């Protein structure tokens, strides 16, 4: 009788613990609780251009595109919408801005690729630098800040592939000045 009571208590504990554990673990894997993007800006001196790579979680980017008016793009899936690149380019050009002393510089959207696990996307842009001898740029990175108040955007600067500086931008401080 005593062993039967212990057996039933253990069975009850396992029936409560295992589903609870699976619920918690599945919640951790399905939704991330931090909002960070990574941007690498690599100035290629020989070509007077800056290569820009922006790493974003696909679900966050999808939400931002919907917020902008896009239909469900299904980024990186077999049923991805044909206009996905159009929406991504439009969004990035609104939220990621590079200016010299005089004007906003044109960004060229080169494309994107999904990470192997399909959880994130690398978006590629290029900025041609004008030949007017600029020595300073203003970079504004508001990517996903329209969706998440606690969004942080890391901007890493490189000179011909060699790391120079790393900055963290947040709502209220979305811009930085960069010495070339």
């Amino acid at each position: 009788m005593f062993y039967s009571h212990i057996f039933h208590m253990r069975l009850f504990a396992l029936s409560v613990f295992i589903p609870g554990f699976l619920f918690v673990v599945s919640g951790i894997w399905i939704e991330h609780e931090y909002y960070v993007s990574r941007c690498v800006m690599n100035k290629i001196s020989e070509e007077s251009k800056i290569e820009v790579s922006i790493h974003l979680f696909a679900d966050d980017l999808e939400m931002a595109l919907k917020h902008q008016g896009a239909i469900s793009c299904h980024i990186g899936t077999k049923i991805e919408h044909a206009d996905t690149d159009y929406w991504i380019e439009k969004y990035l050009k609104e939220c990621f801005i590079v200016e010299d002393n005089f004007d906003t510089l044109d960004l060229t959207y080169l494309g994107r690729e999904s990470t192997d696990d399909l959880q994130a996307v690398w978006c590629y842009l290029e900025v041609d630098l004008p030949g007017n001898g600029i020595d300073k740029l203003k970079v504004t990175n508001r990517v996903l800040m329209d969706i998440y108040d606690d969004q942080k955007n890391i901007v890493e600067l490189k000179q011909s592939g060699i790391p120079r500086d790393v900055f963290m931008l947040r709502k209220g401080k979305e811009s930085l000045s960069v010495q070339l």
Side-chain angles (χ1 to χ4, degrees):
M1 173 109 175
F2 177 72
Y3 292 111
S4 173
H5 181 67
I6 291 175
F7 173 76
H8 287 289
M9 285 177 54
R10 286 184 179 170
L11 186 60
F12 173 76
L14 286 175
S15 68
V16 170
F17 177 74
I18 290 176
F21 176 76
L22 292 175
F23 177 76
V24 169
V25 169
S26 68
I28 290 171
W29 291 109
I30 291 172
E31 187 176 314
H32 55 92
E33 295 182 20
Y34 57 94
Y35 303 103
V36 178
S37 77
R38 178 175 178 226
C39 171
V40 178
M41 297 181 66
N42 186 26
K43 182 179 183 281
I44 308 297
S45 298
E46 308 82 46
E47 301 178 33
S48 291
K49 70 178 180 179
I50 299 174
E51 299 171 336
V52 180
S53 304
I54 303 174
H55 183 268
L56 304 164
F57 285 105
D59 60 336
D60 295 337
L61 180 56
E62 183 89 28
M63 189 180 302
L65 297 180
K66 285 181 187 176
H67 188 259
Q68 185 185 36
I71 59 170
S72 292
C73 292
H74 304 285
I75 297 170
T77 68
K78 292 179 183 178
I79 60 170
E80 181 176 284
H81 194 276
D83 291 335
T84 299
D85 279 315
Y86 164 80
W87 286 104
I88 292 173
E89 178 179 7
K90 183 176 185 272
Y91 180 72
L92 291 177
K93 285 184 175 183
E94 287 176 9
C95 297
F96 188 83
I97 301 162
V98 179
E99 301 169 273
D100 69 1
N101 300 332
F102 308 103
D103 294 312
T104 299
L105 302 179
D106 289 330
L107 295 173
T108 303
Y109 177 75
L110 301 175
R112 66 183 157 88
E113 63 183 336
S114 295
T115 57
D116 291 340
D117 62 5
L118 302 177
Q119 297 296 310
V121 177
W122 279 100
C123 300
Y124 304 106
L125 304 156
E126 191 173 84
V127 180
D128 287 321
L129 298 173
N132 60 5
I134 62 169
D135 61 345
K136 189 183 263 190
L137 292 177
K138 178 181 176 186
V139 177
T140 301
N141 186 350
R142 289 188 300 264
V143 173
L144 300 176
M145 289 183 187
D146 54 334
I147 303 299
Y148 302 112
D149 287 335
D150 56 346
Q151 174 71 31
K152 306 289 187 285
N153 293 332
I154 297 170
V155 177
E156 178 183 355
L157 301 175
K158 292 184 176 187
Q159 181 80 36
S160 297
I162 299 169
R164 276 188 31 197
D165 297 304
V166 177
F167 301 91
M168 176 145 343
L169 303 177
R170 63 186 185 290
K171 206 168 226 176
K173 188 187 181 316
E174 300 99 359
S175 300
L176 62 102
S177 290
V178 179
Q179 196 72 28
L180 293 180

